[in-house]
Amino acid sequence: MRPRFVLPAALSVAAILLLVSCNRGDLPGKKQSESGQVQASPVAPVASSKVAGKQLEAALSPLTVEQRLEDFDYMWKIIEENYPFLEVNKRLNGEDWLANKEAYRNEIAAVKTDDEFFRRMKFVLSRLNNGHTNFLSKEEYPWFLNAYVQAGFGYEPWINVFQQPNVLARYNQKPLAEQQSSDGIVNDMNSGEAGSQTGKTSGNVKKVIIEPEQIAYLGMRSFAGSLMEMDSSEIHDFLIEVKDYKTLILDIRGNGGGNSDYWRAHIAPLLINKPIEYNTYLLYTRGNYAETFMQARQITRGQQPITSIKDEQLPNLPSEALKMFKTYSKNTDVVIPQESVGFKGKIYLLVDSSVYSSAEGLAAFAKGTGFATVVGGRTGGDGLGMDPLVVALPNSGYVFRFSFEMGLNSDGSCNEEVKTVPDVEADPDTSKPLLDQPAVQKVLELAKSY
């Protein structure tokens, strides 16, 4: 499972709860096809600071009505050709997004300021009702750039989008090449390492011995990549302490995700005694915007024509799979024991509707493999696949991101639509003291019969 970046709790974003075709030398903007229609053109390499300086004044000038409408049309075409959940949105929310184009476009034409334009564009995108699909604010820009820089190899296309001159101007940022070691990016990248060296804890992990020698509780509110190193030793030491217990409760209620490696490297491998395999599927639309991102992450190999998915015998395949998508890949996920503590008891995983992105990945894994009994409420979904694509609007420089893969559970059901249904349903409310919470009480009841 590849990392998925999700905003920390301190940076809220609408509808949040953890990836554009680029031809060399072309900035995203209006390109005319032979038919005269606006095409979404790819992302260029990062421009020099001299070029950025020349464009700065123009980029910050108030947008004209024509420029706003060009940006709207650009965003619309990207979503129309590349977004995988249009039909899911109809089924789940009764929202026929494409049918509202003219109404939305008229609203954009009527706005008077750039700020009003941004707010209206955010609203239009929010009607897709997906937590990975949203515009980025000025406060969120550096957090995401930090995450992409820290991720390193394979994230060049993401970084290139963030470093386009009109984006730098819009978000009031300097090019990476001009940033000194004292700037936030370097400091933020090193913060997790420094914390682990001093032996401090992040406060993200909650450990409780509910019944000595019998029942233990381990809760994690986030799977943020910046917390992994600091949390891993704390988790490891606690699992060593409770390895002979009969019951272990893992609690990810309220966990909006972060990085899948958090649970794939620091939780599951310590609790299994033999490899676990789990099949999932990723469907790709007919749009071309993702090509360079996929190449950078080396996931273009192994894709098959969508017609071949019929051979997989998936009983819950969405009806639009063979119509809206071009290719798919089958992923055989293998989790291997590493530093296993030898736990032989029963594992329960507590979930709720806030479990999303990479945290959803753990829920889907637990449900699909029997790694843990899932208890609580239906999760939030969209936990399979790689990071959302990022897109810069050609005139305004505003950046949005969107999910571009449809992840299917092992039975072929769409993870974003079906999410993870608990094995045992229980009220997931966390407002009461731990032992008074209905989901925890349900686990304690189940543990008595185990």
Side-chain angles (χ1 to χ4, degrees):
M1 181 70 66
R2 297 168 289 277
R4 304 196 75 157
F5 301 120
V6 179
L7 284 172
L11 293 175
S12 62
V13 63
I16 201 154
L17 351 219
L18 153 189
L19 323 157
V20 292
S21 175
C22 314
N23 290 337
R24 294 185 300 275
D26 290 333
L27 286 171
K30 184 174 65 174
K31 179 185 285 187
Q32 296 294 330
S33 68
E34 294 180 0
S35 63
Q37 296 298 311
V38 176
Q39 292 184 327
S41 57
V43 172
V46 178
S48 67
S49 58
K50 184 178 293 185
V51 173
K54 290 180 179 180
Q55 297 188 9
L56 178 61
E57 184 176 348
L60 292 180
S61 299
L63 298 167
T64 65
V65 174
E66 290 74 17
Q67 288 174 323
R68 291 171 186 151
L69 290 176
E70 284 180 357
D71 276 9
F72 173 85
D73 291 340
Y74 183 79
M75 179 196 73
W76 195 273
K77 189 170 182 64
I78 291 288
I79 295 297
E80 184 177 28
E81 294 184 350
N82 298 273
Y83 185 69
F85 302 130
L86 293 170
E87 295 300 312
V88 171
N89 197 23
K90 289 181 186 178
R91 292 192 291 267
L92 284 183
N93 305 298
E95 186 86 26
D96 188 350
W97 193 79
L98 293 179
N100 295 321
K101 179 178 181 179
E102 289 308 311
Y104 289 148
R105 199 174 191 275
N106 290 338
E107 291 173 1
I108 294 299
V111 302
K112 302 301 182 183
T113 67
D114 288 0
D115 286 344
E116 188 180 352
F117 167 73
F118 184 54
R119 290 194 297 271
R120 179 50 49 178
M121 290 287 278
K122 287 199 298 183
F123 171 78
V124 171
L125 207 59
S126 75
R127 301 307 297 170
L128 290 170
N129 295 292
N130 176 264
H132 283 132
T133 303
N134 55 276
F135 275 93
L136 303 186
S137 69
K138 289 183 178 179
E139 293 76 22
E140 294 156 1
Y141 173 100
W143 189 91
F144 276 101
L145 180 58
N146 288 354
Y148 299 140
V149 171
Q150 187 173 2
F153 178 77
Y155 279 86
E156 293 84 359
W158 285 261
I159 296 171
N160 285 351
V161 171
F162 275 56
Q163 293 292 286
Q164 291 175 214
N166 62 339
V167 173
L168 293 171
R170 176 60 61 183
Y171 288 89
N172 193 27
Q173 298 289 321
K174 294 185 296 183
L176 279 173
E178 295 183 9
Q179 297 190 20
Q180 304 300 318
S181 61
S182 60
D183 285 346
I185 287 180
V186 175
N187 290 336
D188 285 353
M189 287 175 61
N190 293 330
S191 62
E193 182 178 355
S196 64
Q197 290 176 344
T198 60
K200 295 180 180 178
T201 61
S202 67
N204 181 54
V205 177
K206 182 176 182 178
K207 303 165 295 183
V208 179
I209 301 298
I210 294 178
E211 184 178 340
E213 310 302 325
Q214 297 293 323
I215 304 173
Y217 168 98
L218 178 65
M220 294 140 291
R221 295 285 290 180
S222 172
F223 285 164
S226 60
L227 301 175
M228 277 196 297
E229 188 172 357
M230 195 182 305
D231 290 353
S232 61
S233 59
E234 188 176 3
I235 292 171
H236 177 269
D237 291 347
F238 183 70
L239 294 181
I240 287 288
E241 179 184 349
V242 302
K243 66 184 181 66
D244 294 323
Y245 280 44
K246 292 183 178 180
T247 302
L248 174 64
I249 302 173
L250 299 178
D251 188 358
I252 58 172
R253 289 174 297 174
N255 190 324
N259 191 321
S260 300
D261 286 343
Y262 190 111
W263 68 266
R264 286 184 55 84
H266 304 298
I267 298 176
L270 281 66
L271 290 170
I272 60 177
N273 301 303
K274 60 181 180 180
I276 296 180
E277 288 191 4
Y278 178 52
N279 291 329
T280 57
Y281 304 83
L282 295 173
L283 276 55
Y284 301 94
T285 66
R286 300 178 185 277
N288 296 319
Y289 193 65
E291 187 66 24
T292 295
F293 289 80
M294 295 170 67
Q295 289 177 356
R297 295 297 302 276
Q298 301 180 347
I299 65 169
T300 53
R301 291 169 289 183
Q303 292 188 35
Q304 302 179 57
I306 193 64
T307 52
S308 299
I309 203 168
K310 292 183 289 187
D311 299 332
E312 301 289 346
Q313 302 297 317
L314 302 175
N316 296 309
L317 190 69
S319 58
E320 68 271 22
L322 297 173
K323 301 175 183 177
M324 286 184 56
F325 297 89
K326 182 179 180 180
T327 60
Y328 81 97
S329 63
K330 179 179 180 179
N331 301 321
T332 300
D333 229 353
V334 182
V335 180
I336 301 173
Q338 292 180 327
E339 299 186 51
S340 174
V341 300
F343 184 79
K344 297 182 175 62
K346 181 77 171 177
I347 302 172
Y348 295 92
L349 182 69
L350 303 186
V351 299
D352 62 8
S353 61
S354 295
V355 170
Y356 192 72
S357 192
S358 55
E360 165 67 19
L362 173 56
F365 171 77
K367 177 71 180 287
T369 64
F371 165 74
T373 299
V374 182
V375 179
R378 189 186 293 255
T379 59
D382 206 11
L384 306 178
M386 74 178 190
D387 303 289
L389 295 180
V390 290
V391 184
L393 296 184
N395 296 312
S396 64
Y398 288 120
V399 174
F400 71 93
R401 58 184 200 136
F402 70 95
S403 287
F404 84 104
E405 301 163 302
M406 176 180 281
L408 305 183
N409 298 314
S410 56
D411 63 355
S413 59
C414 172
N415 181 260
E416 167 69 354
E417 181 173 7
V418 176
K419 311 175 192 309
T420 297
V421 180
D423 297 303
V424 180
E425 293 191 7
D427 183 353
D429 176 56
T430 60
S431 62
K432 298 178 180 179
L434 183 65
L435 296 184
D436 293 332
Q437 295 171 12
V440 174
Q441 290 182 335
K442 173 58 71 173
V443 171
L444 298 181
E445 176 187 324
L446 295 171
K448 291 180 181 178
S449 59
Y450 173 67

